[in-house]
Amino acid sequence: VKQAITDIDNSDIIIAEASDKGIAWKEVSYAKTKNKPIIYARQKIAGHSTTVSGISDFQIIYENQADLRKQHTDTLVKL
């Protein structure tokens, strides 16, 4: 956890890939308190994380890697 806090403090943005349940929502919440932009990403077939998506600034719901890459690029332009 200590390393995660350091990494968040040293980051400009946070990308939370939450296709697998168990995403570190505490770390994402901490990033939000630090006013870090949060991108929530998950595969279309994966379960929805209401916690992470609720505090995210951007959401990427993707079908495959090419779709993820395109949406990721489009989202980064908005930052």
Side-chain angles (χ1 to χ4, degrees), residues 39-72:
I39 300 171
Y40 165 72
R42 72 168 170 87
Q43 291 178 316
K44 189 174 185 177
I45 61 171
H48 181 69
S49 171
T50 55
T51 303
V52 177
S53 69
I55 62 174
S56 67
D57 300 292
F58 303 95
Q59 296 186 15
I60 297 174
I61 313 300
Y62 63 95
E63 301 224 14
N64 54 46
Q65 288 216 314
D67 185 29
L68 172 61
R69 188 176 303 113
K70 181 189 179 318
Q71 290 191 58
H72 184 257

Side-chain angles (χ1 to χ4, degrees), residues 1-11 27:
V1 173
K2 194 176 212 180
Q3 183 61 52
I5 298 295
T6 299
D7 291 344
I8 291 166
D9 288 340
N10 292 326
S11 298
E27 287 85 348

Side-chain angles (χ1 to χ4, degrees), residues 13 39 58 70-79:
I13 64 171
I39 300 171
F58 303 95
K70 181 189 179 318
Q71 290 191 58
H72 184 257
T73 301
D74 294 346
T75 301
L76 290 177
V77 168
K78 296 174 186 176
L79 293 171

